[in-house]
Structures are given as C-alpha cells and as structure tokens.
Amino acid sequence: MNNLKDAFAAIVRQPVRLLLVLTVALTSTMAAAQMTGQTVRAQHYYPDLSTTYSAAVDSVVGAGVEVTGFPASDPWTNIDYSANSIRIAYTGAAGWSAATFNGVVFSDLNSTIPAITGVTLNPASNMVGLDASRLTFTADTVSINWQNLAFDASTVVVLDLSFANGGAATPVPTLSEWMLIVLMLMVAAVGITWTRRRH
C-alpha cells in the first residue's frame, strides 16, 4: 500500500509531466489514422456515373476483409480497406462490359476522412489494361473504371491513397474522451494544489 501511495505522490509532485502524459494519451485516442475506423461506401456504377448498378455497401474500416461478393448483383470481388489503401481481389474469371463507366466509386460516407490528395496504382496490381488513366479522385471519393477489362481469380488491384494534413482525422470527441479530459484537468488541479501547499 505504501508503494502505491509513494507512486501517486511522485506523480502529483510533477503536474506538468502528468499533463504531458495525459495529453499524449488523449491525442492518441482522438486521432484517427486516415481511413481506419471511418465508414467507406462502395457503389458500383454502370453504364455511366449517373446509373447505379447495385446497392451501395457501407463498411467501417478495420481488420480483415470488409466487403465480400461485391457488387451484389454481379459478385466478382472482395474488398479490403486499410489506413491508406484499397485492395480488390477477384474470385473468378470473366470481364466487365464496355461502357462509358463500369466500375466502383469509393466515398467517405460521413466526411470524417482527411481530404484525399492522390491515388496511385500499387505495383502489386496485376489487372491487364488497368492504368492511372482509369483512376480519378476528389477530396471525398476514389473512382476506378474497369470497363472492357478482363480478370480471373488471381487478379488483384491495389489503390494507394494519400491524404491532406498527413492523414490525421479530427473526429468529434466521444463521451469517454470528454471523461478523459475532465480527469486530466482534475488530476492536474490536485497536483498543482498539493505542490503549492508543499511550498
């Protein structure tokens, strides 16, 4: 018990250090790494960008493959999101029909992801005929047009995304984060009061 009291006393003697530690903890709790923890929508369009081909699929980006059997009306792909990339793996052999647009638009559903500043085709991609001219993006969307391209079960497409502000999202603090802020202020006040009494 004395060891616990001594440890607490050592902490409150140094309120500045305590504030620093708690600030780092709060920052790491509130910061989001690019797409991680955010909701991304996948929507297939065909034969143009005004016509939806299948129902949209909304996914929270986390561990594992988020979307399987996409699009629902023609399920050839599985989609795995990560902090700064989108990996699309094909499950069979066929081809996409020729059209003005036949592909997927990925979008930031809740506008919580930092602005997208670039999208590139990762070298791991092996879809024949797919190049940068078929990729477009806005601050909130990434589009890939694979009209008239063929694929098989070994086909993989990986898109690497870059973001504004180093990819640091700024979500609204949750209740638990506000509790941490209040606790931080309370402990700091106790530490400062204790230090003043000591002097």
Side-chain angles (χ1 to χ4, degrees):
M1 187 68 176
N2 286 335
N3 289 340
L4 186 59
K5 288 181 178 178
D6 292 342
F8 181 75
I11 291 173
V12 296
R13 280 191 202 110
Q14 302 179 51
V16 174
R17 181 179 295 177
L18 178 64
L19 275 170
L20 179 62
V21 170
L22 289 175
T23 299
V24 170
L26 179 62
T27 301
S28 63
T29 302
M30 294 175 64
Q34 293 104 341
M35 295 193 295
T36 303
Q38 310 305 315
T39 302
V40 175
R41 168 167 288 180
Q43 176 76 70
H44 195 108
Y45 289 86
Y46 170 82
D48 53 46
L49 278 169
S50 300
T51 310
T52 57
Y53 179 66
S54 188
V57 178
D58 301 336
S59 307
V60 176
V61 178
V65 176
E66 285 83 0
V67 184
T68 58
F70 179 87
S73 55
D74 202 4
W76 288 109
T77 67
N78 296 330
I79 303 170
D80 184 15
Y81 304 109
S82 68
N84 59 0
S85 68
I86 302 170
R87 184 180 189 276
I88 304 155
Y90 281 84
T91 59
W96 297 109
S97 301
T100 302
F101 187 91
N102 189 353
V104 189
V105 176
F106 301 98
S107 58
D108 174 10
L109 186 62
N110 300 315
S111 299
T112 53
I113 299 172
I116 299 167
T117 57
V119 57
T120 57
L121 201 57
N122 186 286
S125 303
N126 60 6
M127 189 177 215
V128 176
L130 182 64
D131 57 29
S133 69
R134 292 173 176 263
L135 308 178
T136 57
F137 71 92
T138 68
D140 298 306
T141 67
V142 171
S143 303
I144 179 169
N145 185 6
W146 40 44
Q147 66 90 19
N148 210 28
L149 296 182
F151 53 86
D152 59 33
S154 67
T155 301
V156 174
V157 175
V158 182
L159 307 178
D160 292 329
L161 282 61
S162 53
F163 301 89
N165 303 320
T170 52
V172 176
T174 64
L175 180 59
S176 61
E177 290 159 355
W178 284 118
M179 297 273 292
L180 183 57
I181 292 171
V182 171
L183 177 63
M184 177 178 67
L185 295 173
M186 288 174 62
V187 174
V190 169
I192 292 169
T193 302
W194 189 89
T195 302
R196 285 179 177 169
R197 287 180 179 172
R198 293 275 295 175
H199 295 86

